[in-house]
Amino acid sequence: MTAAIVVVGLYALGVRMLIRGGRVPVVAPAEFTDAITVLSPAEARKAERKAEKAARKNPLTAGQKRLARLTAYACFGLCAGAVLFGIYLIVPALHGA
């Protein structure tokens, strides 16, 4: 359970640092069932404009933005490493047991 909390926490921190670094994740609209709200093209453009405006207001310097992005990538790398280690522990053929 602790490992799950760590992985989720690292992923959340990675997303947060990615946003602070100026890389706002905007997902393009897609076709889904009624269970998921789909953005219209106008709503998607509005969301992209809001993201660009927020990026312009970012008070961080270029170096701080770069550091935030590197921190985000490090968090994502640690998440991937934890998942791969979990798979290694679960699959006996990988560790000779």
Side-chain angles (χ1 to χ4, degrees):
M1 179 157 158
T2 303
I5 292 170
V6 169
V7 170
V8 170
L10 281 172
Y11 186 81
L13 181 63
V15 170
R16 176 72 178 135
M17 289 294 107
L18 200 59
I19 292 169
R20 291 294 291 167
R23 304 266 176 137
V24 180
V26 176
V27 179
E31 296 297 324
F32 292 108
T33 63
D34 292 335
I36 298 173
T37 303
V38 179
L39 293 176
S40 69
E43 291 172 325
R45 284 192 302 275
K46 184 178 177 182
E48 288 173 0
R49 284 193 305 267
K50 282 178 80 173
E52 289 170 3
K53 184 178 179 182
R56 285 192 304 269
K57 286 184 172 182
N58 194 337
L60 300 179
T61 65
Q64 290 171 328
K65 288 179 184 179
R66 191 175 315 113
L67 180 62
R69 282 193 306 268
L70 288 173
T71 302
Y73 299 146
C75 287
F76 294 141
L78 288 171
C79 285
V83 169
L84 290 174
F85 184 67
I87 291 171
Y88 168 78
L89 291 177
I90 291 172
V91 179
L94 294 177
H95 52 82

